[in-house]
Every structure is written in C-alpha cells, then in structure tokens.
Amino acid sequence: MKRGWIFWDRDELPEAEFDRRTANVRSAMRAEQLDAIVVYGDALQSGNLSYLTHFFPYADTGALILPFDAPPRLVTTHAYRNMPWFNTITWIKDIVCTGMIGPACADFLASIGAPIRKIGMVSGLSLPSAVAEAIQHKIGCEVSDFSAVYEGLRIIKSDRELAFVRKAADIADRSFKDLEAASRPEMSGFEVAAELELAVRRRGAEDLYCFIQPEGSQVGLTRPDARRIRGFFSVEIAVEFNGYWAKLGRSIFLDRALRAKGSIVELYAGMCRQFLEEELVSRSARPFLDRLRSRLLGDERLTSVRLHADFGLEPYWAPHLLTSAGASQRLEGPLSFYLQARMDLEGRLSLLRMDTYMVRDSRLFLLTPS
Amino acid sequence: MRPKSGAPSELERRRDKLLGALEKFGTSDILIYASMLRRENVRYFTNFDPMEPGAAVVFSAQSPPLLMVPTDEEKARAQAESWIPRVESYEGDIQNLPRLLKTFPLSDTVAIAGWDYFPMDWMAELRRSFPHKTWSDATPAVHGIRILKTEDEIRKIEKAAAIADAAYENLLLGVRPGLKEYEIVAEVESFIRKSQGEDNFQLLASGSGDARAMHPPTDRILREGDLLITEISPQVDGYYAQICRSMVIGEASEARRAAYDILFRAQQSGFDQVRPGMTASALAKVQNDVFRQAGYGEYVSEKYTRGRGHGIGLYIDEEPLIAEGNDFELKAGMVVMIHPNTFLPLSGYMVLGDPVLITEDGGRRLSRSRRDLAEIKIPPRGSR
C-alpha cells in the first residue's frame, strides 16, 4: 500500500494532458465500437487507472467509467471523508465513494441514457470478475477485454511523462549510491531496505520496492529479511515519482576479494548499452532481442536477458516487451524501458545489472548511470 | 530461506479445518486466490507470500494440495517457503491453468476464496474449460478460520505492536517544525525496516485540525502549533499491528486537551467493556456513548468517522468493522483495533487506536506506548 508523497502539480501535468490522453483512448474506443470502458485499479496495480485520472487508490480500489460521449465518473472504495484529498490529486470531478465497485459502475452506466451495447474492460489480471459480472447483469451488454489496446497507448510517452520517469530514475540512482556507501559486511536484508527507504522517500518518492538476492541464495530476488549478508548481494530497486516508475539493479561486493568478479557483469552491461545504441532505435523489440541474445548467450553463465516494457505507471509486473502490446512497436520513442541482464557465477553469485532507458527523438538515454 | 511462520502440522491443521468448513458450501474443493494486494489467504494456508500476481492454492479432501504460480522464479520461491509438496508454474499463461487443474479430481462445485478480487480472465478460462462445474464464493469460510488467532499468531502481532510502539517513540524524538510530511514517513519506514518489520502502512495529516481523515503524506511543512495525527502499522512475519496517535507541535490548547480527553475516555470505555459474546455494534456503542454524553453525538456518524475499529491480522483491515449496526459476534481469540478516531469541532480530527486481544476475561491491549496527547517540545529559537 502506498505511503509516499502523492501529489498533482497542475503546472507540471496540466489538465490538457489528460484531455489528450482521453481523446486518444476514445479514438481507440471508436475503432473497437465500444460505448464505454471501465478501467480498474487497486493500491498495488493502479497504473491503468491513474493514466487517465491521476487518481491513486492508496489502500483500496477504484474504477473509472469512461463513456464514449459523456463525462467520466470515478468510483472508489475509499471513504467519502477523503474527498478533500482526492480533489487535490485528480482532475475528475464526479467521484463516488462506494463499498461495491461493480454495482456502482453499473448504476452509472444505466443512468447515462444512451444505449450501451459493448463495454471494454481494462486491467487484465487485476479486474475482478465480480465487477464485470455486476455490469453485465445490469446492463446486459457485450463485454470485451480492452487492456492490450489501452496499454499500447500508454507505451508512447509525452515529454511530461518522460520528465517524471527521469526524476524517478534520478532518485533511484542517487539512493543506490547512498546504499552503496552505507553497505558493510554482515548487514541484514532489513538494513539494506532501511537505507533505501530513508534515501528514496526523503527525496519525495511516491513508492518503493526493493528485492535482494544474497550470495548463495538459489531462489532469485526476494523480499529483504533478517538474514546477514556476507560478501555479496544483488539488489533491484523500483522507485515511483508522481506515478511514474524507474528501475535499477546492481550487484554490491562487500568482500574485496570478490570484487573483481563483478567486472564481468559490468562488461556485459557495457555491451548491452553499446548494442542498444547501435541497433535499437530503428528496430522493434523482437529482432533487437533476438540479435542481443545471439551475441551474448554464447556465454552460458548469462542466464537471462530481459527487456521490459515500461508503461511508466506500474512498478512490477510490467510485461516482457515481446509478449506485450509493445512487441510490434518500433522502439523509436518517445518511450522508456528496462533492460535486465543476469548471470550466475560459480553457482553462488547471481550478478544483476538492470537499467532504465529512454528513447526520444531517435536517441537513446541511460537514466540510471551509477 | 524465509523463516517458517508455522510448522507444517499447524498449516495442515488449518487446511483440514477449512475442508471441514466447506461442507455447508456443498463442496469438498476450494481454490484460494491471491491478488497482488490481497495475498493473505494464500499465505495463511501455505506460508508462501507471492511476489507476483496470480497465485492460487487448491485444497481437496480427495487429493494432495496444489499450489499454482505464474513463473518458474516464483515456483522456486514457493517451493522454498511453503509446505505444499506440489508447486506448478503456469508460465504466465492462464490457458495452462485448466491443464493443471485437470490433474485434480475436482467435484462438481468448486469453492473460491478471494471472490471479490478473483480476476475476470481466470473466471472466463475456468468456465470455458469446465463448463459443467459450478464456482461459488466461500471466502467467509476462510475468514471464519483466520479470524481466531493462535498463540503463535498473537505473538507475531505483539511483536509488530512493539515495533509500532518503538517507531512512535522514535518519531516523538525526531519530529520538529520544518519537516515535510513525507520526510516524517521516510524516517518511520526506515526505522521499521531496521526493527525487522517487513512492511508498514502509514497515513497522517498535519495542520490546524481541519482534516477529516488521514491520507498519504504531502509536502506540507510542519509548523509550530500544528496538530499531527498518524497511524503506524508494521508487519512482522505476515502479521500487522497498528497504533493511531495524535501530537501537537508545541503546547496543546485547552480545546484540544478537552477534545482528546473525550477521545481517550471513549477508547478506554472500549478497552474496559470489550468481551466475548458482545457484538461489534455494542463495542462501537460503548465508545460512541462517551461522545454522546459529552454533547457530541452528531460526530459519531460516517460523515466524521469511519468506525470504532476493525479486525487486524494478515491484512491491515479485516472483519469485523466495529460500527453500530454490525451484529457480528466477538469471540475470544480475535484481535481488533479499538480506535474512536473522530473529527470534533473543538479540535479537528484526532486519532487514538490500539490493537486488543479479546480474551475470556475481557480485552488485553497488545501495544504499550503512551496514549496521551503528545506535546512536542520546540527548542528555543537560538538553539534550533
């Protein structure tokens, strides 16, 4: 649940930006012959919802009902007493607090007056069946999954969105340097998290995720815990600023004797960057990754190379670019993405290098240079 | 490997109890679903805390359990954390779910726990692949078991409460004019991690007292004379505890002291009178009556307050809501928050809340930190 700084600066993100996004979504709705869409979100998966509303259900759930030709309504399970705070973060004027999202959506759709023949649902995994069924039961219309089309629109970023991604990346990068300076042998996973919580949140971040993999762990990145870290650990940080996320992954060598081994992942990171600069801009995701793999996977220690789509408004669970709406998207920008390279050394050191990149005006920018 | 939160025998006992409770739902099979936000039911029965959305465990009287997770990485974590012998990845494709479930002799009716957040695409896939089966909501069966805490669970909540207490004492030492609200949260979050809290949920509000509710922090800068209210909710080994506290930056006015006195007496009334057999409504009423007797009866409505508490455990806000009109019967072994947080015209919105274990002898507060209206001493100007 979110407990960082959530705000809306109308100069940085004017209402006109939401008008533009809404118009784009409605154009896509017209192509799909949708009379309305319902965009659902909760405290941990709010990206689709906040894209059109700048509303973040920090501990509960919410949904936007966007008719094709009528003003939208936002419904949320947060209490009505929070309305003054809601009004500081969202441009939506029509907000209803309810215990039952589905019936509240259905009631609104029924009240519009215009015939509703087909509704698009957005949010894939997090959209509850009970919400869709309440709408279908009352409206009796066809329901389709509009998520892929909607998320395809989100991949391409405006300059304003990229500025927030840059800021999130800057917080992640500087906070990682703080962590690196504070790291010491025998610190626990909780102590790693404590350093990051302080560094990230006092810089004004909205939210933070931190996963680590200590030396010898065979189960990949996990939530920090009380185990003491000896010579080495890998850490993945996701930082949200004003709704937009950046990610960074690094390996930290606490034992000097191990440090030389880290140079190999840095070598790969450098190769990835160089390859990105040479090849990415004019290519779509699939041939790019295929070529990257063929060049790098000769080394069997390199266990994975992943390129994650960054919809900008989701921390984890960003789909792999090859299986997402971005698979056929030419990576010319403006957009941002994460590139992750992992390799295992000697069965006990899981090396990680993950960075956030931005493509704008056909140029590539590394946003996490630390 | 994450420390186990319960021996397999305890987790199997939970499973068996659940299967016994399914009879009245007309089935012997249940699928317990975990969304990213609501993972607690899966964790309760498996000891596995998913890191990716879309995990589910299936229990049946006829077969060994099956834990389904979305990726191979998640499978490795689940195998390390859970007691379930069979863990399968559906490789990020829900069309693989039926293949896994068809290895399982499911009865004609299958119960689902987590119905309110069970996703649309899962339900569509299950109905398409098993057209003759009925899927029904059995979430109450899970809640009915989880709501009664064992001694081990109570110890974890007490540990979380001790971290909340320590975080509050630390906050009192560090809070001062000039801090931004989000900087306060940064300090608390960091302190809780250092104290081995795996998560935390914190809301706050500061200012003259005109807030009607707490919210995530803003960039507002604390000033002398401000009222600062907050709730701190650390999580330890899955279990949350929560305390709600009110502070004044500087000296409290008579009006604020008078308002806080009513709030304090309302909470004390709840502590003193809570007992097994009482309804949630009655527990709310004994708190609300203190406001009524003080002449502020209109401020116990939803417009000014949410409720007088709620259950707490593996999720921050569980059944029952302590509110008038809720006839839910309280029992020994339940842990509830007692928090008569209310807006009063005397003072603005003030908060005071603590977790309480209901025992045969009454309520036992699980937190220990001071409950007064804290006054934050401001250093003389020259020494700041």
Side-chain angles (χ1 to χ4, degrees):
Chain A
M1 287 170 276
K2 291 180 189 293
R3 61 272 192 187
W5 182 27
I6 298 175
F7 69 100
W8 179 27
D9 182 327
R10 288 159 176 77
D11 293 328
E12 285 184 325
L13 196 58
E15 207 166 314
E17 170 93 0
F18 295 102
D19 293 342
R20 181 188 64 77
R21 296 179 192 178
T22 303
N24 286 346
V25 169
R26 280 191 167 130
S27 293
M29 288 167 64
R30 183 195 300 275
E32 301 283 322
Q33 297 182 310
L34 297 175
D35 299 305
I37 60 168
V38 175
V39 186
Y40 179 84
D42 64 28
L44 294 189
Q45 292 178 286
S46 58
N48 282 330
L49 178 61
S50 56
Y51 178 68
L52 282 187
T53 63
H54 205 257
F55 177 77
F56 302 86
Y58 56 86
D60 275 308
T61 64
L64 175 78
I65 311 110
L66 178 68
F68 182 74
D69 52 8
R73 172 175 286 181
L74 179 64
V75 297
T76 177
T77 47
H78 278 291
Y80 177 79
R81 291 178 301 115
N82 292 288
M83 195 63 77
W85 183 78
F86 298 158
N87 290 330
T88 68
I89 62 161
T90 181
W91 64 277
I92 304 282
K93 309 288 188 297
D94 183 4
I95 304 175
V96 171
C97 299
T98 174
M100 304 286 284
I101 292 281
C105 292
D107 289 346
F108 176 61
L109 288 164
S111 73
I112 291 172
I116 304 284
R117 290 172 294 268
K118 189 176 176 188
I119 295 177
M121 298 290 180
V122 179
S123 274
L125 252 187
S126 69
L127 180 73
S129 178
V131 170
E133 287 179 6
I135 293 168
Q136 268 180 311
H137 180 73
K138 180 144 189 170
I139 308 296
C141 60
E142 182 186 348
V143 168
S144 68
D145 188 348
F146 190 56
S147 303
V149 176
Y150 186 92
E151 290 172 353
L153 294 173
R154 282 179 51 195
I155 284 184
I156 299 301
K157 304 282 193 298
S158 70
D159 283 350
R160 295 178 194 282
E161 292 179 284
L162 288 177
F164 294 134
V165 175
R166 270 181 186 275
K167 175 71 177 175
D170 181 60
I171 292 174
D173 210 50
R174 288 197 286 153
S175 300
F176 171 73
K177 287 176 186 165
D178 290 349
L179 171 64
E180 201 172 31
S183 295
R184 62 191 186 285
E186 294 298 316
M187 75 189 303
S188 71
F190 281 133
E191 287 168 332
V192 170
E195 295 291 345
L196 286 169
E197 290 283 354
L198 188 62
V200 167
R201 293 190 190 278
R202 74 181 174 191
R203 291 185 164 108
E206 181 171 320
D207 213 348
L208 160 72
Y209 285 88
C210 155
F211 297 127
I212 67 172
Q213 184 172 9
E215 179 182 352
S217 170
Q218 301 298 317
V219 293
L221 294 157
T222 57
R223 296 185 180 91
D225 57 28
R227 283 176 296 175
R228 298 280 161 190
I229 299 166
R230 294 193 170 80
F232 162 89
F233 69 102
S234 286
V235 59
E236 184 176 307
I237 307 166
V239 171
E240 182 182 28
F241 179 78
N242 201 16
Y244 288 81
W245 290 85
K247 295 171 81 170
L248 171 154
R250 297 287 186 273
S251 296
I252 294 182
F253 292 85
L254 306 173
D255 180 345
R256 288 182 179 209
L258 290 173
R259 203 160 289 173
K261 296 181 187 298
S263 59
I264 192 163
V265 82
E266 295 305 316
L267 180 68
Y268 274 106
M271 287 174 67
C272 287
R273 273 199 298 278
Q274 185 184 359
F275 198 74
L276 281 167
E277 285 165 6
E278 289 170 1
E279 306 258 349
L280 175 67
V281 169
S282 62
R283 293 178 182 276
S284 60
R286 183 173 293 281
F288 164 74
L289 260 204
D290 287 347
R291 285 170 58 81
L292 183 65
R293 283 192 170 125
S294 68
R295 185 184 285 195
L296 298 182
L297 285 181
D299 186 337
E300 61 187 17
R301 294 171 301 183
L302 189 71
T303 49
S304 72
V305 179
R306 294 183 181 186
L307 186 67
H308 287 266
D310 169 28
F311 297 151
L313 287 160
E314 215 76 82
Y316 279 91
W317 324 296
H320 198 292
L321 201 51
L322 293 187
T323 57
S324 75
S328 59
Q329 176 72 51
R330 289 175 71 84
L331 299 180
E332 293 170 329
L335 51 78
S336 61
F337 60 90
Y338 318 125
L339 180 70
Q340 181 198 70
R342 290 173 65 172
M343 61 192 313
D344 290 330
L345 286 184
E346 300 158 13
R348 64 192 181 100
L349 305 179
S350 182
L351 301 178
L352 172 66
R353 177 84 196 197
M354 183 176 198
D355 286 301
T356 301
Y357 289 88
M358 175 177 90
V359 178
R360 186 170 175 275
D361 298 330
S362 297
R363 289 181 59 205
L364 182 74
F365 299 88
L366 170 65
L367 302 185
T368 47
S370 63
Chain B
M1 185 188 298
R2 180 187 298 275
K4 300 281 185 187
S5 71
S9 58
E10 164 61 13
L11 296 169
E12 285 171 316
R13 189 191 64 77
R14 292 175 183 176
R15 187 268 317 264
D16 294 343
K17 206 169 175 181
L18 175 60
L19 290 175
L22 287 180
E23 276 180 29
K24 66 179 173 190
F25 292 86
T27 181
S28 58
D29 306 318
I30 185 165
L31 184 154
I32 305 169
Y33 178 78
S35 72
M36 223 38 247
L37 182 62
R38 303 302 301 265
R39 311 187 297 273
E40 67 275 12
N41 289 335
V42 165
R43 189 169 186 176
Y44 180 79
F45 287 102
T46 68
N47 195 48
F48 169 55
D49 187 16
M51 277 177 49
E52 300 180 37
V57 62
V58 187
F59 289 137
S60 166
Q62 282 80 41
S63 304
L66 166 66
L67 178 55
M68 302 183 295
V69 296
T71 64
D72 287 341
E73 278 195 342
E74 191 79 325
K75 180 178 174 180
R77 286 189 285 264
Q79 286 172 324
E81 291 182 11
S82 82
W83 67 278
I84 307 290
R86 186 177 168 210
V87 182
E88 301 281 359
S89 164
Y90 58 88
E91 296 163 352
D93 184 352
I94 59 167
Q95 292 183 1
N96 289 327
L97 291 170
R99 178 175 55 79
L100 296 173
L101 288 170
K102 279 175 180 168
T103 65
F104 218 86
L106 293 174
S107 49
D108 290 342
T109 297
V110 182
I112 290 177
W115 185 266
D116 285 349
Y117 45 88
F118 195 69
M120 184 175 80
D121 49 2
W122 276 56
M123 185 59 88
E125 187 61 37
L126 293 181
R127 286 189 173 139
R128 189 185 63 77
S129 302
F130 302 96
H132 302 300
K133 292 197 188 304
T134 302
W135 306 86
S136 64
D137 180 11
T139 311
V142 169
H143 287 177
I145 293 168
R146 281 209 301 113
I147 200 166
L148 296 173
K149 307 292 190 289
T150 63
E151 285 182 12
D152 182 52
E153 291 176 286
I154 291 162
R155 270 194 297 275
K156 288 167 181 164
I157 296 173
E158 280 184 304
K159 191 173 172 191
I163 292 175
D165 288 336
Y168 175 56
E169 297 294 344
N170 189 62
L171 171 63
L172 290 176
L173 293 174
V175 71
R176 61 190 181 280
L179 276 182
K180 291 174 180 167
E181 286 182 354
Y182 68 69
E183 291 173 328
I184 296 170
V185 170
E187 296 285 346
V188 171
E189 290 288 336
S190 182
F191 182 90
I192 286 173
R193 288 303 175 290
K194 273 185 196 149
S195 308
Q196 305 199 353
E198 62 194 43
D199 199 0
N200 178 47
F201 180 58
Q202 185 177 9
L203 297 174
L204 53 68
S206 70
S208 61
D210 54 353
R212 292 292 194 276
M214 292 182 284
H215 47 68
T218 71
D219 61 345
R220 186 183 180 281
I221 295 171
L222 277 190
R223 290 196 291 258
E224 190 171 342
D226 277 352
L227 180 66
L228 172 62
I229 55 176
T230 191
E231 65 177 28
I232 300 170
S233 319
Q235 186 186 33
V236 171
D237 214 0
Y239 288 82
Y240 286 96
Q242 183 179 81
I243 60 171
C244 310
R245 293 292 185 265
S246 300
M247 293 148 269
V248 175
I249 312 300
E251 198 171 320
S253 65
E254 282 305 314
R256 280 177 175 162
R257 284 187 185 141
Y260 195 82
D261 179 63
I262 299 168
L263 181 66
F264 188 91
R265 286 190 287 114
Q267 192 200 35
Q268 193 62 47
S269 175
F271 289 160
D272 293 344
Q273 298 188 59
V274 67
R275 64 188 185 284
M278 188 181 208
T279 63
S281 180
L283 179 55
K285 186 172 184 303
V286 300
Q287 299 175 72
N288 287 340
D289 282 349
V290 174
F291 291 95
R292 292 180 180 117
Q293 286 154 15
Y296 293 102
E298 68 179 285
Y299 293 95
V300 303
S301 68
E302 269 188 37
K303 187 175 173 187
Y304 299 101
T305 184
R306 176 176 168 242
R308 271 50 189 103
H310 53 80
I312 193 164
L314 282 171
Y315 193 64
I316 189 74
D317 190 350
E318 302 198 331
E319 287 184 325
L321 177 66
I322 308 298
E324 288 189 58
N326 184 1
D327 291 332
F328 187 99
E329 185 184 331
L330 302 175
K331 293 179 180 167
M334 294 179 180
V335 177
V336 296
M337 288 296 302
I338 294 185
H339 63 38
N341 306 340
T342 300
F343 174 88
L344 288 180
L346 278 170
S347 59
Y349 191 66
M350 291 178 121
V351 302
L352 176 62
D354 293 86
V356 172
L357 170 67
I358 302 171
T359 74
E360 295 296 348
D361 301 324
R364 176 161 75 82
R365 186 158 75 97
L366 301 180
S367 53
R368 295 180 179 175
S369 54
R370 52 187 280 192
R371 294 190 293 131
D372 60 336
L373 177 60
E375 295 178 322
I376 308 298
K377 296 235 176 335
I378 299 173
R381 288 199 176 275
S383 65
R384 286 182 209 176

